[in-house]
């Protein structure tokens, strides 16, 4: 199993960026997927999740209206389109498979329910 994130760069506040997560070694279309981030000196924060068929998506409140999660099951790839980036979005962004209840109870999924993780891609928002 391999998940490889890409697309993270230094971008100015207000800018846009698209992250990609290329999956291999498993049947991608059977898995719900998600993005999780970790800002410098802080813990993990769930960002967004998408169902296996792409029909349902969820976001943390702080990115609603700015970020869009999507996937292409024919290409075994998931994306995160990030617009109106803010300094608070600076973080290492991970993609991961989600293997817990769908939808999950409570306001966000449990990190224990994320199975396979990528190595992360760094997004830095700064002028």
């Amino acid at each position: 199993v391999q998940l490889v994130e890409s697309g993270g760069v230094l971008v100015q506040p207000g800018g846009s960026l698209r992250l990609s997560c290329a999956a291999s070694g498993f049947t991608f279309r059977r898995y719900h997927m998600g993005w999780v981030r970790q800002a410098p000196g802080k813990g993990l924060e769930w960002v967004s999740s998408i169902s296996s068929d792409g029909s349902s998506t969820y976001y943390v409140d702080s990115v609603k209206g700015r970020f869009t999660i999507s996937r292409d099951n024919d290409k075994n790839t998931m994306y995160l389109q990030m617009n109106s980036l803010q300094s608070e979005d600076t973080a290492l962004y991970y993609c991961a498979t989600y293997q817990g209840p769908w939808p999950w109870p409570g306001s966000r999924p449990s990190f224990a329910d994320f199975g396979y993780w990528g190595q992360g891609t760094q997004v830095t928002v700064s002028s």
Side-chain angles (χ1 to χ4, degrees):
V1 173
Q2 192 171 22
L3 294 170
V4 180
E5 304 93 336
S6 62
V9 293
L10 171 64
V11 61
Q12 292 188 341
S16 296
L17 207 55
R18 188 176 83 157
L19 305 183
S20 297
C21 171
S24 61
F26 65 103
T27 307
F28 179 71
R29 64 179 66 248
R30 293 182 180 175
Y31 284 78
H32 306 313
M33 297 290 296
W35 290 96
V36 176
R37 66 185 179 185
Q38 186 168 27
K42 296 188 176 181
L44 294 174
E45 179 186 35
W46 168 73
V47 176
S48 180
S49 289
I50 187 167
S51 60
S52 58
D53 64 357
S55 63
S56 58
T57 59
Y58 299 90
Y59 301 91
V60 67
D61 285 347
S62 61
V63 308
K64 282 181 181 176
R66 299 190 298 122
F67 289 12
T68 302
I69 191 171
S70 63
R71 65 191 294 163
D72 186 334
N73 284 344
D74 291 332
K75 295 183 178 179
N76 291 345
T77 304
M78 178 178 66
Y79 305 97
L80 186 67
Q81 178 66 43
M82 305 187 294
N83 299 328
S84 302
L85 283 161
Q86 306 166 357
S87 58
E88 295 76 18
D89 297 316
T90 294
L92 186 61
Y93 284 73
Y94 299 95
C95 69
T97 61
Y98 177 76
Q99 293 153 244
W102 188 275
W104 48 84
S107 61
R108 63 170 180 81
S110 168
F111 293 125
D113 288 328
F114 286 96
Y116 302 115
W117 293 70
Q119 293 300 306
T121 185
Q122 179 66 41
V123 173
T124 302
V125 184
S126 175
S127 56

